[in-house]
Amino acid sequence: MDVKRLNDAALHLHRACTIPAKSRVEYGLFGDYAITVQGKSKIEGYSTEYKGYLECLSRATKQRVINALDHREGFRLRYHVVNLQPNFCEFTWSDTQERRDEITLKVYCGPISGWREDADMMTRPCHIEGSRKSGEVNFVEPIHLLKGRIREAAMGFKHEHGADIYFLITEYDSYVRTHVRMLDLTYVGLVLQHHAYLEPVFANLDIDVDEAKRKAGVKRADKIDDEPKDIWRNLLLDRGSPVPES
């Protein structure tokens, strides 16, 4: 997937969520696309598979997200998905009448129990270049990109997940250090089961890797799932949701 086409979809998402101001919807992009655009693609030797979808969080309710996006700025709601989960909705985006080369947008909506209504969305703007225009879009902050990738890497081995963790920690070293308490030791331990070469990287953050391994030894990675509540807890709340006992 061409990253500029993903950028086009992200730019239209930003426009739909911010114009008009009275229907503004807070959002933050995360996942593969966000990690790549925020710098990974510029590093020699790193390759990224551009998946044909965007993922984002939104403070707004599901219905407000639907009202903001459906049939606006090229987005169409996937009605067969809308009722599958209470705080999740999915759209397709295209800038052609024939709906060619559609991009999927997955939105994890609010409100979420345990997160104050007045809490900061914890996003930062980033300037991107589309195929015909450029502008700013919102990404969740790097510590939350890292938390999300650690969560995914805890579930099993994919080389790119380990590479993403290494990139985020080294690229945003000083920033990650100031937020390191937000990383869940159990998930770090599960990551090390699949990506042992990351041990010195975590240790350099003053993470107790022995304790992380101990915690991971009594948990089951296959109990981590993709329900919206877990996406929120693992990306934005102070600690990742606990992995159930085996």
Side-chain angles (χ1 to χ4, degrees), residues 29-31 34-35 38-39 122-125 139-150 164-165 167-177 179 182-183 234-236:
L29 290 155
F30 69 96
I35 293 172
Q38 293 209 83
M122 303 185 81
T123 61
R124 59 169 59 183
F139 294 102
V140 299
E141 292 186 353
I143 188 64
H144 304 298
L145 294 177
L146 176 60
K147 287 175 67 179
R149 192 52 93 218
I150 285 174
D164 287 349
I165 291 170
F167 162 71
L168 288 167
I169 291 176
T170 55
E171 180 74 5
Y172 299 101
D173 178 80
S174 59
Y175 173 84
V176 171
R177 286 180 185 279
H179 296 83
M182 298 178 71
L183 301 182
N234 283 284
L235 265 67
L236 287 187

Side-chain angles (χ1 to χ4, degrees), residues 176-222:
V176 171
R177 286 180 185 279
T178 63
H179 296 83
V180 71
R181 68 175 182 82
M182 298 178 71
L183 301 182
D184 186 274
L185 283 182
T186 299
Y187 285 2
V188 170
L190 290 169
V191 169
L192 292 175
Q193 291 178 3
H194 307 292
H195 306 273
Y197 68 91
L198 291 174
E199 181 169 335
V201 178
F202 285 117
N204 190 48
L205 295 174
D206 295 325
I207 290 175
D208 188 340
V209 293
D210 290 332
E211 178 64 8
K213 291 177 182 178
R214 186 195 68 77
K215 286 178 174 288
V218 295
K219 305 294 181 181
R220 285 183 57 185
D222 62 356

Side-chain angles (χ1 to χ4, degrees), residues 48-193:
T48 298
E49 176 188 354
Y50 293 117
K51 297 178 180 177
Y53 64 84
L54 305 177
E55 298 172 283
C56 79
L57 303 174
S58 175
R59 288 293 301 272
T61 64
K62 181 175 181 176
Q63 189 57 54
R64 187 173 176 186
V65 169
I66 292 172
N67 292 345
L69 294 180
D70 193 25
H71 287 83
R72 294 191 65 222
E73 295 293 325
F75 289 98
R76 298 289 186 273
L77 179 67
R78 279 187 167 156
Y79 288 95
H80 67 284
V81 177
V82 71
N83 292 321
L84 294 182
Q85 296 175 346
N87 290 345
F88 175 80
C89 51
E90 191 171 295
F91 301 83
T92 60
W93 174 85
S94 179
D95 54 357
T96 68
Q97 286 188 338
E98 298 81 10
R99 308 294 296 175
R100 292 194 303 268
D101 302 321
E102 286 187 323
I103 304 292
T104 295
L105 170 67
K106 301 180 180 183
V107 184
Y108 298 87
C109 313
I112 298 299
S113 176
W115 195 32
R116 302 191 322 273
E117 287 298 316
D118 61 346
D120 185 2
M121 182 68 187
M122 303 185 81
T123 61
R124 59 169 59 183
C126 180
H127 187 85
I128 61 173
E129 298 282 341
S131 58
R132 291 185 296 274
K133 61 180 71 175
S134 63
E136 286 190 345
V137 298
N138 296 332
F139 294 102
V140 299
E141 292 186 353
I143 188 64
H144 304 298
L145 294 177
L146 176 60
K147 287 175 67 179
R149 192 52 93 218
I150 285 174
R151 173 191 170 280
E152 288 188 289
M155 297 173 66
F157 178 79
K158 285 189 177 181
H159 173 73
E160 59 268 27
H161 290 170
D164 287 349
I165 291 170
Y166 180 86
F167 162 71
L168 288 167
I169 291 176
T170 55
E171 180 74 5
Y172 299 101
D173 178 80
S174 59
Y175 173 84
V176 171
R177 286 180 185 279
T178 63
H179 296 83
V180 71
R181 68 175 182 82
M182 298 178 71
L183 301 182
D184 186 274
L185 283 182
T186 299
Y187 285 2
V188 170
L190 290 169
V191 169
L192 292 175
Q193 291 178 3

